[in-house]
Amino acid sequence: MDPNVLHNIGYGMYVVSSNKGELFNGQIANTLFQITSEPITVAVSINKKNLTHEYIESSKRFSVSVISEDAPLAFVGKFGFKSGKTEDKFKGTKFIKLDSGCPVVLDNALCYLEASVINQFDCGTHTIFLGQVTDSKILKVGKPMTYDYYHQVKHGTTPETAPTFIKSETAAKKDKPFMQKYICTVCNYVYDPEAGDTDGGIQPGTAFEDIPDSWACPVCGAKKSEFVKAG
């Protein structure tokens, strides 16, 4: 079986948030689907290990912020590779709290919706939460980031708790015949000299050795010294 077939399934990039009383948490998710149009229902897949899962089960609500294509990798890294169990992801993040108490991330978002959980399905490592949409709003006009764009253009990686994580994904990136690449040992982000890191001020064509020592992984914030050669 070739798991790379799964890379041809289309996904988006979203911040799914919820609350437990006055506590907030959110995470990056790519498995969001509209299920019906009348009433409007959506479903999202969340790993049982994630704090967001606990909060959704507690409040029976979740919000979804649709991420803009121009969102920096650092934003994706904050909500995708950091844990709400050890830090407050909403600190320094622009958000609102709806009447229900559910938070909504506004930073780098084109629009948002809120849903009330009406059913949930045990899928082993993940739970699929089915929700009826109770609120929604367009924030600005733009192009939503797709999962493919995140990988191919932003050169982002996938957390191990994501439903679409494939162990061989990093190995596939290593084999591309480009200039010497380096891999972050913390989150598996691949620095590609041909692409650079424009969000971090590193222009395309910049060799890893020429990057300032103060540079950090654009996804998880790891130091330059925590990178190793790929291949």
Side-chain angles (χ1 to χ4, degrees):
M1 182 179 75
D2 186 355
N4 290 306
V5 167
L6 301 175
H7 290 157
N8 292 284
I9 299 176
Y11 301 94
M13 291 286 285
Y14 316 96
V15 176
V16 176
S17 306
S18 190
N19 67 298
K20 188 175 184 179
E22 293 301 313
L23 300 176
F24 302 143
N25 195 61
Q27 67 166 77
I28 295 294
N30 62 1
T31 47
L32 172 78
F33 314 95
Q34 181 179 345
I35 306 300
T36 62
S37 59
E38 197 174 323
I40 301 175
T41 59
V42 295
V44 64
S45 178
I46 304 293
N47 192 292
K48 294 178 181 177
K49 294 180 181 179
N50 293 354
L51 189 63
T52 306
H53 186 283
E54 176 186 329
Y55 284 15
I56 295 176
E57 283 201 315
S58 174
S59 67
K60 300 300 180 185
R61 287 184 177 275
F62 62 87
S63 70
V64 177
S65 300
V66 179
I67 300 175
S68 172
E69 192 172 78
D70 57 8
L73 270 180
F75 173 80
V76 179
K78 180 178 185 180
F79 282 92
F81 288 88
K82 304 293 185 179
S83 173
K85 298 176 182 178
T86 57
E87 64 179 85
D88 181 5
K89 298 183 188 180
F90 281 78
K91 184 177 181 180
T93 300
K94 185 178 180 181
F95 72 98
I96 58 173
K97 184 174 74 171
L98 301 178
D99 292 340
S100 64
C102 189
V104 175
V105 171
L106 301 180
D107 279 345
N108 302 298
L110 298 177
C111 56
Y112 71 81
L113 62 83
E114 180 197 30
S116 176
V117 176
I118 57 177
N119 209 338
Q120 62 186 72
F121 307 92
D122 189 329
C123 300
T125 58
H126 290 66
T127 296
I128 292 179
F129 293 100
L130 178 65
Q132 182 171 333
V133 176
T134 55
D135 193 5
S136 62
K137 185 177 182 179
I138 297 291
L139 299 173
K140 63 180 181 180
V141 176
K143 195 171 182 179
M145 185 184 296
T146 65
Y147 198 52
D148 183 66
Y149 184 91
Y150 167 68
H151 278 283
Q152 301 301 324
V153 180
K154 291 286 190 178
H155 302 283
T157 56
T158 305
E160 292 188 9
T161 55
T164 53
F165 176 75
I166 298 175
K167 290 184 179 179
S168 61
E169 180 180 66
T170 301
K173 288 188 176 185
K174 290 181 182 179
D175 296 333
K176 292 182 180 180
F178 295 134
M179 297 168 61
Q180 179 62 58
K181 303 180 182 66
Y182 282 74
I183 299 177
C184 176
T185 57
V186 177
C187 72
N188 290 328
Y189 166 79
V190 178
Y191 175 77
D192 181 351
E194 292 194 358
D197 171 25
T198 54
D199 288 340
I202 308 301
Q203 296 302 311
T206 304
F208 186 80
E209 294 80 1
D210 297 331
I211 298 175
D213 291 338
S214 59
W215 178 82
C217 176
V219 175
C220 71
K223 297 179 180 178
K224 180 184 175 184
S225 59
E226 294 181 271
F227 278 70
V228 296
K229 286 184 178 180

